[in-house]
């Protein structure tokens, strides 16, 4: 059996990816950039330097990433304060199972640590993780492998002994490059033909990850 599970947060553990997409679009349009869902989806889990280039490719060199991102943060923070945030179906079941089996767990997210811990605490899952790792702790964010290498190091495990749970192409590339057994848990889209070769397996929801863990 595998020794560790390293998971992305948004769209995997929390049902929050849809909020990021919504508020990226609202923030972009607020400043006059005609951002649509596919634009926002393309930068999921993507580190800032890569996201800037991607969005400037869509909207031109004058696209002010920081201004739009700050507006997105403002809008999403306001929404979460009023409405809360939800865990993905099966998250608690999977995380409790991993604890019972003595399988170490880490989060590998692009979200700042304080915000990630706040969100996890809101849904009662913070205590389920041995480590919470943010892209801000490493030199290069996703799709570079740094955050998965760092998370495995924090767990004192080799990446090959860890399952990585991801929902986005950028996250999948990161986990695969680190040498993890990369499992896609589809959220807003399904695996493409380009992404499938990078995957160890595809989970039909978080509870199905238990099946995968038991067959590794």
């Amino acid at each position: 059996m595998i020794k560790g599970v390293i998971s992305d947060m948004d769209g995997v553990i929390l049902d929050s990816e849809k909020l990021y997409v919504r508020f990226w679009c609202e923030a972009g349009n607020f400043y006059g950039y005609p951002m649509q869902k596919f634009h926002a989806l393309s930068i999921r889990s993507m580190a800032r330097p890569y996201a800037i280039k991607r969005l400037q490719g869509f909207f031109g060199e004058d696209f002010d990433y920081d201004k739009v991102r700050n507006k997105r943060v403002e809008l999403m923070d306001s929404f979460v304060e009023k409405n809360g945030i939800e865990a993905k179906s099966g998250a608690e079941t999977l995380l409790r199972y991993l604890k019972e089996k003595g399988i170490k767990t880490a989060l590998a997210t692009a979200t700042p640590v304080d915000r990630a811990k706040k969100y996890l605490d809101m849904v009662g899952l913070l205590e389920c993780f041995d480590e919470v790792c943010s892209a801000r702790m490493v030199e290069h964010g996703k799709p570079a492998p740094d955050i998965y290498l760092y998370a495995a190091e924090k767990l004192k495990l080799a990446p090959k002994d860890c399952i990585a749970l991801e929902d986005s192409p950028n996250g999948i590339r990161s986990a695969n490059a680190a040498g993890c057994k990369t499992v896609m848990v589809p959220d807003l889209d399904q695996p493409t033909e380009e992404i499938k070769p990078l995957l160890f397996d595809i989970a039909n929801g978080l509870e199905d990850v238990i099946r995968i863990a038991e067959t590794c």
Side-chain angles (χ1 to χ4, degrees), residues 8-10 17 20-21 24 35 38-58 63 65-66 69 72 108-112 134-136 138-145 147-148 166-175 194-195:
D8 181 40
M9 183 177 73
D10 298 299
E17 198 75 89
Y20 280 95
V21 170
W24 264 115
M35 189 177 287
F38 77 91
H39 297 123
L41 286 174
S42 76
I43 60 167
R44 281 180 301 161
S45 296
M46 186 177 278
R48 181 179 180 276
Y50 307 113
I52 290 173
K53 290 180 181 178
R54 178 67 58 84
L55 293 174
Q56 286 180 342
F58 287 133
F63 182 86
Y65 175 87
D66 290 320
R69 180 188 176 278
R72 191 271 298 163
T109 179
T111 301
S134 166
R136 299 189 179 197
V138 296
E139 184 175 358
H140 302 106
K142 301 174 185 179
I147 190 169
Y148 276 98
E166 277 285 356
D167 68 305
S168 72
N170 293 314
I172 288 166
R173 293 185 184 99
S174 172
E194 176 192 0
I195 286 297

Side-chain angles (χ1 to χ4, degrees), residues 13 90-105 120-121 123-129 206-207 210:
I13 300 299
E92 183 172 5
T93 299
L94 170 62
L95 292 167
R96 300 295 179 194
Y97 164 84
L98 296 174
K99 282 290 183 187
E100 290 171 4
K101 296 296 183 180
I103 298 172
K104 295 180 179 180
T105 55
L120 291 172
D121 194 43
V123 297
L125 297 179
L126 178 58
E127 65 177 18
C128 296
F129 287 92
L206 287 175
E207 291 190 25
I210 295 173

Side-chain angles (χ1 to χ4, degrees), residues 154-165:
K154 293 290 286 184
L155 293 178
K156 297 181 172 58
L157 296 174
K160 66 181 179 62
D161 293 326
C162 298
I163 283 177
L165 304 180

Side-chain angles (χ1 to χ4, degrees), residues 54-212:
R54 178 67 58 84
L55 293 174
Q56 286 180 342
F58 287 133
F59 303 114
E61 292 297 316
D62 68 338
F63 182 86
D64 192 330
Y65 175 87
D66 290 320
K67 181 170 70 174
V68 176
R69 180 188 176 278
N70 289 341
K71 185 65 176 177
R72 191 271 298 163
V73 171
E74 174 192 330
L75 292 169
M76 184 165 169
D77 282 352
S78 176
F79 178 90
V80 171
E81 288 301 321
K82 293 176 183 176
N83 301 282
I85 202 159
E86 298 178 346
K88 293 285 285 186
S89 176
E92 183 172 5
T93 299
L94 170 62
L95 292 167
R96 300 295 179 194
Y97 164 84
L98 296 174
K99 282 290 183 187
E100 290 171 4
K101 296 296 183 180
I103 298 172
K104 295 180 179 180
T105 55
L107 200 72
T109 179
T111 301
V113 168
D114 289 347
R115 184 175 288 118
K117 288 183 175 181
K118 175 183 177 180
Y119 288 172
L120 291 172
D121 194 43
M122 289 173 72
V123 297
L125 297 179
L126 178 58
E127 65 177 18
C128 296
F129 287 92
D130 297 302
E131 299 287 343
V132 176
C133 304
S134 166
R136 299 189 179 197
M137 296 174 169
V138 296
E139 184 175 358
H140 302 106
K142 301 174 185 179
D146 301 31
I147 190 169
Y148 276 98
L149 295 172
Y150 179 74
E153 181 182 353
K154 293 290 286 184
L155 293 178
K156 297 181 172 58
L157 296 174
K160 66 181 179 62
D161 293 326
C162 298
I163 283 177
L165 304 180
E166 277 285 356
D167 68 305
S168 72
N170 293 314
I172 288 166
R173 293 185 184 99
S174 172
N176 176 264
C180 298
K181 293 178 172 64
T182 307
V183 173
M184 185 175 186
V185 188
D187 179 38
L188 297 182
D189 50 20
Q190 297 297 314
T192 63
E193 292 305 313
E194 176 192 0
I195 286 297
K196 284 179 180 178
L198 307 182
L199 298 174
F200 179 78
D201 207 334
I202 301 169
N204 183 24
L206 287 175
E207 291 190 25
D208 190 40
V209 175
I210 295 173
R211 168 191 63 82
I212 298 168

